[in-house]
Amino acid sequence: MIAPSVPRSAICLRCQLRLIHQSSQPFQASRRIFRLQHPSLRRFASNSPAHALGQDQVAEGHERARDSEELVQDGKHASSQESRGVKRTDVRKRRFSRNRILTEDAQSLESDMLGKPASVIVMRDGGVYQKRDRRRAAESHHDEPDSEPIDIEALLDTQREPPDLEEVRDNIDGLRPKTETALSEWEFRKLQALLTDGFLSSQLEDYLQRHRQDAQPDDVSELYKHTVLTSNKSGKKKKKKVQVYKYDWISDITPWVPLASQSGVAEGIDPSLYGYVTASTTAKEKLAIQIMRECWGLSIAELDAGLGETRVKIRNYEFLLLMRGTRRWVTVMGKIWLEPGEKIEAFRAKNTLRLVTTKTKAAILIEDLNNTLRQITSSSFPLNLVASEPIDEAVLEEVGHITNTHVRCAQESQRVYVTWIELKKRAAKGLIGLEDMRDIVFRLLLTACNPQPATTTTLYAASEDGGALGRFITSTVDKERLGWKDRMGRWARYSLPLTIGGANSAAESPVKRLELPVERQIVSSEFDENNESLPETQFSLHPLEWAEDLQVSTKATFGYLLHATHPSASPPPLPDLLTANHPRVFASASPHPLHLAKLEASDDEAANVLIQPKTTIVIRFWPSPADSNQEMEPAKGRVTPLAPPLELRLATSGGEVKGVESLHAIKRAHITDVMLPASLVDLRYTQAQYSALQGERAKLATWQPLADFLQPARLDLARDKFEVPPSQKFPIPRRLFTDYELSVSRNVDWDSLMSITYTFVGLEIHRSVSMPYEGFNLTYTSVDAQRGGGRRVELSLEAGAESGTSAAEVDADRLHSTFLVASQKLARTDALWSGYLATSRES
């Protein structure tokens, strides 16, 4: 027996013919139940051909499935009738093939096959399939006569009702990618087509507007409108759309857009659509893309990987700090992140930064900018500590430019406020207790608004023939040689016309005697750079003392004496200039290198001496106008103004600090300026009377005050990074105070020590070489005065030093006059200061 569940394809041809010939026997068809499950699809757009085609195909499949089921049911009905004795007229099977009915039939071949009559199966065409009336078929097969009939028209009417807005929004939101936001262009356009073909324009517009009402700003590279509650005059709250950004320092920001996509876009298009729409894009497609860009934050990965731009408008307060001085953030970020073709542009007039980079880098830069602006710090100090009168706004602006800070003076509170962006790396590197920007601004204003303590000046002018022809010539000297405040002014040098014979080097000097005697300095021991270095452990107190005998250092420097000039206030005539105390500065001059080498070769003493370069760090301290632990009242004035300034020299070798070379307490200093109008340069004599800290050089760095100052300091010659504490206390003998202070306190021990708070006021790097000249030391020095001090090269003549505990027995008057003659000879040697005057004026 053949099982009913065996498919027809598994029955051989012979058995199939046998079954056809057995028409007189009842055919028991197996009962099969066809259950077709399909989702209920609802179309939301009337113009969706893709969806309509799919639904027609599904409907046709359902119709064919029902017809097949009915044919089987007909066969079952016929079998049941035959089993009850009803004669069956046709039991042949019918098949469907391309919408036509085919009926199986048997045809004899009138021949034998394997000893029996042969026959074949023939599929006879039954015509085109005609759909049957489903309603009548349902009535004929219904077993329950009292059941209610189905209203098909009412069923169709319910399907014609439009879906509600919430259902549409849910269907649109269901297309949103769950994780990925950067799609390939093919995926992006496919999703765009689904939105365009599946929904009406009004439905897309409704979804977009609803999102703009409920959205929160979560991406700094996109524009978002946030709905907030505001109250009117009656107290009733209402919703209002305002632009709110992730960071409060942002005034406005444009979305990141590709650079190459802006040319082919029509005017008035949202910038967020640049690169995604063209001039031929329809309004409905723009709505779909707007939803994908603004609501879902989707983008095309190929566009994000290319260059684009975003503009960030920053509040004025933060923008000023970013643009101060060297524009540190812009410079550092450019070195770290930007590649060729990428850039950060600043527009001061609009307080705007333009970031030209990839989309990912733009977000990183904005995030880092936010972290930088969170480090804004502010501090202040009393105005009377640095100046006795209000400071000009131009001076405050210049010092702010130098220090990358914002400096302002409040007239009401008489305080100077300093605001800056603190570097995050300082605390991470352990740079604690060092100068901050407030301290730097304080010392720059202190040194610019006040003369050097314990210092006096005099001015001389050489009497030359043709003095009536002298004029003030506006200076063209490189202002980098001047201090930061002096660069802001206009200066002029008093000169005479150059004569054919040149200046007479043997002319009588206008200076008969300097204010202090000329002495050779005493050096106790030479510094051994191989055996000495700054200690790295905790320092102990060593019993070092200040020298009782004062020494005098004398140095002659060559350069230009420049007098302040202004269209409304020119310098006074020469006779009155000497006593008028008119503002002046000194700009050092560098000699011509070729003639300086010839000068060395012509000196027999210099030819036998090996010239070695030397690098020294010079640190200067002034008595602090106020103790760092307490603030003074403005009426009390300064604290300890008569204490001597200090000068600390550190020896270096191989780019490292090796130890302390000397520490001098300068009791008195005098500057003698000599104008030489007929020469190319002028003269400045600088003399200092000081007391040196005595002791072995190896122990100077272990003296407790110096140890406390040098241990936290950062002195990196290789990277040109120098950071030191802002102040330090030093014990100073009372005898080193000015005569005025001593006259007031007559009954005190002059050797007793007073702990004085000193303010660090400047650091210079001196790289120098020296050679003998006329029995003195001629030194060529490159000076780097660090922040605000400028860079200069100077040639100086020094009295020199004597080894041992006492100076050699020399005639002081002869040494004084010889030094003046040698310095005047150098100043009047024109060939040394200009490369084109090749005359014999050196004699």
Side-chain angles (χ1 to χ4, degrees):
M1 177 179 288
I2 300 176
S5 60
V6 175
R8 180 178 180 84
S9 60
I11 304 175
C12 67
L13 180 63
R14 184 176 181 180
C15 294
Q16 292 184 30
L17 292 174
R18 184 179 299 174
L19 289 175
I20 293 175
H21 284 296
Q22 294 176 352
S23 59
S24 60
Q25 298 179 1
F27 178 76
Q28 300 292 337
S30 61
R31 298 181 61 87
R32 298 182 183 178
I33 301 175
F34 296 90
R35 296 183 179 179
L36 301 178
Q37 298 179 359
H38 59 86
S40 58
L41 300 177
R42 300 192 62 182
R43 197 184 336 158
F44 298 112
S46 59
N47 53 351
S48 301
H51 284 250
L53 178 60
Q55 291 180 1
D56 291 341
Q57 292 174 350
V58 172
E60 183 179 354
H62 293 170
E63 292 291 342
R64 292 191 177 187
R66 293 196 195 98
D67 292 337
S68 299
E69 185 176 0
E70 290 171 0
L71 290 176
V72 174
Q73 295 296 335
D74 291 344
K76 294 178 182 179
H77 184 65
S79 299
S80 62
Q81 286 182 345
E82 266 195 74
S83 63
R84 294 194 294 267
V86 180
K87 186 177 180 180
R88 186 176 173 189
T89 60
D90 190 2
V91 294
R92 294 174 298 177
K93 294 184 179 180
R94 288 180 292 181
R95 307 291 182 186
F96 286 95
S97 177
R98 296 186 179 178
N99 208 26
R100 302 189 72 84
I101 302 175
L102 302 178
T103 307
E104 292 185 5
D105 196 1
Q107 180 69 40
S108 176
L109 297 178
E110 297 180 357
S111 62
D112 295 338
M113 182 180 296
L114 299 177
K116 293 184 179 182
S119 63
V120 295
I121 298 177
V122 179
M123 305 298 294
R124 300 188 183 278
D125 188 4
V128 180
Y129 167 75
Q130 299 291 336
K131 294 183 180 180
R132 300 174 60 182
D133 191 349
R134 302 298 175 188
R135 184 163 45 183
R136 300 176 64 181
E139 292 177 356
S140 62
H141 289 83
H142 209 286
D143 296 333
E144 299 180 2
D146 56 348
S147 61
E148 296 182 1
I150 299 176
D151 190 354
I152 300 298
E153 294 183 358
L155 214 64
L156 294 176
D157 290 339
T158 59
Q159 296 297 324
R160 295 191 186 102
E161 294 180 0
D164 55 36
L165 293 179
E166 289 298 331
E167 186 178 0
V168 174
R169 294 168 190 156
D170 292 341
N171 280 274
I172 295 177
D173 202 59
L175 298 177
R176 178 177 184 173
K178 303 302 181 184
T179 56
E180 296 293 332
T181 57
L183 309 178
S184 65
E185 186 167 5
W186 182 85
E187 293 173 337
F188 189 91
R189 298 306 178 186
K190 181 181 178 181
L191 183 56
Q192 173 190 340
L194 288 176
L195 289 173
T196 306
D197 298 337
F199 300 92
L200 300 174
S201 298
S202 59
Q203 294 169 344
L204 298 178
E205 181 70 26
D206 172 76
Y207 184 88
L208 181 61
Q209 296 300 329
R210 183 61 177 267
H211 174 82
R212 288 176 174 175
Q213 293 178 1
D214 301 337
Q216 298 290 336
D218 55 358
D219 187 355
V220 297
S221 64
E222 302 290 346
L223 276 175
Y224 291 93
K225 289 186 177 180
H226 177 43
T227 302
V228 297
L229 292 177
T230 58
S231 300
N232 53 20
K233 296 181 179 180
S234 61
K236 184 179 179 180
K237 293 184 177 181
K238 63 177 181 179
K239 290 186 176 182
K240 181 181 180 181
K241 294 180 182 179
V242 296
Q243 288 185 349
V244 177
Y245 301 100
K246 188 174 181 180
Y247 305 126
D248 56 357
W249 48 268
I250 297 180
S251 299
D252 192 14
I253 184 173
T254 62
W256 184 92
V257 294
L259 282 180
S261 62
Q262 303 179 26
S263 57
V265 179
E267 296 183 359
I269 297 298
D270 191 335
S272 64
L273 302 184
Y274 288 170
Y276 296 86
V277 299
T278 61
S280 60
T281 305
T282 63
K284 188 175 182 181
E285 290 174 340
K286 291 178 183 177
L287 281 174
I289 297 175
Q290 190 81 26
I291 290 176
M292 298 169 65
R293 294 283 294 140
E294 180 178 335
C295 305
W296 298 348
L298 302 181
S299 60
I300 298 177
E302 290 84 351
L303 291 178
D304 292 349
L307 287 181
E309 73 166 70
T310 181
R311 296 174 182 262
V312 185
K313 187 174 182 180
I314 305 174
R315 288 188 311 194
N316 184 66
Y317 179 72
E318 288 84 357
F319 189 82
L320 286 177
L321 291 177
L322 283 176
M323 295 297 106
R324 280 295 178 185
T326 58
R327 305 194 303 179
R328 181 184 300 162
W329 181 84
V330 177
T331 303
V332 172
M333 287 298 101
K335 293 179 179 179
I336 295 177
W337 290 105
L338 300 187
E339 298 178 358
E342 300 176 335
K343 56 185 175 181
I344 302 176
E345 297 179 337
F347 302 94
R348 295 179 181 270
K350 299 181 179 179
N351 291 356
T352 301
L353 289 180
R354 179 175 179 254
L355 310 180
V356 180
T357 180
T358 62
K359 184 177 181 180
T360 303
K361 286 185 181 180
I364 293 175
L365 290 174
I366 294 177
E367 183 68 25
D368 187 89
L369 179 57
N370 175 67
N371 295 334
T372 300
L373 294 178
R374 289 174 59 184
Q375 305 298 320
I376 293 179
T377 308
S378 183
S379 184
S380 65
F381 54 85
L383 173 62
N384 73 300
L385 296 184
V386 296
S388 57
E389 56 186 15
I391 304 176
D392 188 72
E393 288 294 334
V395 175
L396 297 178
E397 181 68 19
E398 181 65 19
V399 74
H401 177 80
I402 295 172
T403 58
N404 297 331
T405 61
H406 180 260
V407 185
R408 65 181 181 89
C409 182
Q411 299 297 333
E412 299 80 8
S413 59
Q414 290 293 299
R415 299 184 68 86
V416 177
Y417 291 88
V418 184
T419 306
W420 71 96
I421 300 176
E422 186 64 68
L423 294 180
K424 297 176 290 185
K425 297 181 180 179
R426 288 178 59 88
K429 292 182 178 180
L431 302 178
I432 307 299
L434 303 181
E435 270 191 321
D436 57 19
M437 290 302 167
R438 179 263 186 197
D439 300 318
I440 296 176
V441 171
F442 176 81
R443 66 174 170 89
L444 289 178
L445 292 177
L446 179 66
T447 54
C449 299
N450 298 276
Q452 184 175 343
T455 302
T456 56
T457 61
T458 54
L459 177 62
Y460 296 92
S463 57
E464 306 284 354
D465 295 338
L469 301 176
R471 296 289 186 272
F472 283 98
I473 308 301
T474 301
S475 173
T476 57
V477 174
D478 183 10
K479 290 191 175 183
E480 191 67 21
R481 306 180 188 182
L482 305 178
W484 68 269
K485 187 180 179 182
D486 297 333
R487 299 173 200 164
M488 303 174 60
R490 298 180 59 184
W491 307 94
R493 179 177 182 259
Y494 186 79
S495 302
L496 289 174
L498 294 179
T499 59
I500 298 178
N504 185 9
S505 60
E508 184 178 359
S509 173
V511 181
K512 302 301 181 182
R513 194 164 191 84
L514 299 176
E515 186 72 15
L516 298 175
V518 177
E519 300 177 356
R520 297 189 185 273
Q521 301 179 51
I522 300 175
V523 180
S524 58
S525 61
E526 294 294 331
F527 182 81
D528 188 355
E529 63 183 28
N530 297 321
N531 299 329
E532 301 181 24
S533 61
L534 291 178
E536 298 179 357
T537 58
Q538 186 63 33
F539 308 100
S540 59
L541 180 64
H542 292 270
L544 301 180
E545 297 180 353
W546 294 93
E548 294 186 3
D549 296 333
L550 301 179
Q551 301 183 56
V552 177
S553 64
T554 303
K555 179 175 69 172
T557 310
F558 307 91
Y560 311 105
L561 278 172
L562 305 178
H563 305 270
T565 180
H566 194 272
S568 59
S570 300
L574 184 59
D576 299 331
L577 182 64
L578 302 179
T579 58
N581 197 23
H582 191 73
R584 66 179 182 272
V585 295
F586 185 80
S588 60
S590 56
H592 196 277
L594 295 179
H595 292 283
L596 187 62
K598 291 180 181 179
L599 183 65
E600 175 188 358
S602 62
D603 194 305
D604 296 335
E605 186 180 358
N608 298 325
V609 177
L610 179 62
I611 299 178
Q612 302 227 358
K614 177 183 178 182
T615 301
T616 306
I617 299 178
V618 181
I619 301 176
R620 294 185 173 88
F621 301 91
W622 283 11
S624 178
D627 192 283
S628 59
N629 297 325
Q630 61 181 3
E631 290 192 0
M632 300 185 314
E633 295 295 334
K636 291 185 177 180
R638 296 184 177 181
V639 175
T640 64
L642 302 178
L646 303 181
E647 183 179 280
L648 173 65
R649 289 179 174 264
L650 302 179
T652 66
S653 177
E656 297 180 356
V657 178
K658 293 298 183 179
V660 176
E661 184 177 301
S662 64
L663 177 63
H664 295 169
I666 302 175
K667 182 179 181 180
R668 181 186 177 190
H670 188 81
I671 296 176
T672 303
D673 290 331
V674 181
M675 299 169 55
L676 302 176
S679 301
L680 295 179
V681 294
D682 300 315
L683 265 173
R684 167 169 280 190
Y685 296 97
T686 303
Q687 294 181 289
Q689 188 181 45
Y690 63 89
S691 174
L693 186 66
Q694 292 182 325
E696 297 181 7
R697 288 186 171 180
K699 294 183 179 179
L700 290 180
T702 60
W703 188 47
Q704 190 66 44
L706 286 179
D708 294 339
F709 179 79
L710 295 176
Q711 183 183 19
R714 179 191 180 190
L715 304 173
D716 192 345
L717 276 171
R719 298 184 179 181
D720 199 27
K721 300 291 184 181
F722 302 95
E723 295 181 90
V724 297
S727 61
Q728 178 61 44
K729 288 188 176 183
F730 290 95
I732 305 297
R734 290 181 178 270
R735 66 175 182 272
L736 297 181
F737 283 59
T738 60
D739 295 338
Y740 173 80
E741 180 73 9
L742 296 177
S743 64
V744 175
S745 306
R746 297 180 179 178
N747 299 325
V748 297
D749 184 6
W750 309 132
D751 293 328
S752 62
L753 300 177
M754 294 184 62
S755 181
I756 305 299
T757 300
Y758 279 84
T759 298
F760 164 74
V761 295
L763 182 147
E764 295 180 352
I765 312 300
H766 290 195
R767 296 177 174 88
S768 60
V769 292
S770 299
M771 68 176 186
Y773 177 79
E774 301 286 341
F776 303 100
N777 287 342
L778 186 63
T779 304
Y780 183 88
T781 308
S782 171
V783 181
D784 184 358
Q786 295 299 303
R787 193 189 300 267
R791 292 177 174 85
R792 64 185 185 276
V793 176
E794 62 182 28
L795 185 69
S796 60
L797 187 67
E798 301 176 4
E802 292 287 348
S803 300
T805 57
S806 62
E809 294 294 333
V810 295
D811 187 352
D813 293 337
R814 184 173 179 274
L815 181 64
H816 186 281
S817 59
T818 304
F819 183 79
L820 291 179
V821 171
S823 58
Q824 181 180 353
K825 178 181 176 181
L826 275 176
R828 294 179 180 272
T829 304
D830 292 341
L832 188 62
W833 307 104
S834 62
Y836 56 88
L837 291 178
T839 59
S840 57
R841 302 179 186 176
E842 294 92 342
S843 58

